[in-house]
Amino acid sequence: LKLSCNYTVSVDSLHWYRQYAGSPPQFLILDYSGFVTPLVSRISIKHRKEDNSVDLIISSAGVSDSALYYLALQPAVTGNTQRTMQLYDRL
């Protein structure tokens, strides 16, 4: 399963989360300046900085992966600590 997202700003880091109904968001994976840290098995990303796009890839996706998925971006602007978060549709 692949969830694709495009963004319009230069970013320092990308954070993917998922949220099951009635539960707090779960941190899935971080890409910080090209260093990728996955925290959940079967989760990976393909980040195409030249296209300002990133794919969240869930291998062997099943019913247990049904949730809301979020992408949080840390813009690459000196002194800017504001984060942008995008809600990805339910699976």
Side-chain angles (χ1 to χ4, degrees), residues 8 16 23-26 30-31 33-35 46 49 52-53 55-58 60-61 66 75 80-81 87-88 90:
T8 59
W16 279 97
S23 298
Q26 175 189 22
L30 164 69
D31 179 347
S33 297
F35 296 98
K46 183 175 182 183
K49 292 181 182 181
N52 288 348
S53 65
D55 299 330
L56 177 73
I57 301 159
I58 304 173
S60 302
S66 295
N80 186 352
T81 59
L87 169 64
Y88 202 87
R90 285 184 194 270

Side-chain angles (χ1 to χ4, degrees), residues 18-85:
R18 76 174 155 203
Q19 186 172 19
Y20 295 107
S23 298
Q26 175 189 22
F27 182 66
L28 298 175
I29 194 165
L30 164 69
D31 179 347
Y32 182 75
S33 297
F35 296 98
V36 178
T37 306
L39 297 177
V40 174
S41 63
R42 303 182 300 107
I43 300 286
S44 62
I45 61 170
K46 183 175 182 183
H47 188 185
R48 294 175 308 284
K49 292 181 182 181
E50 65 280 357
D51 296 332
N52 288 348
S53 65
V54 60
D55 299 330
L56 177 73
I57 301 159
I58 304 173
S59 62
S60 302
V63 174
S64 64
D65 295 304
S66 295
L68 287 174
Y69 286 78
Y70 299 87
L71 174 63
L73 306 173
Q74 179 69 47
V77 178
T78 304
N80 186 352
T81 59
Q82 183 178 0
R83 239 183 226 174
T84 302
M85 184 172 275

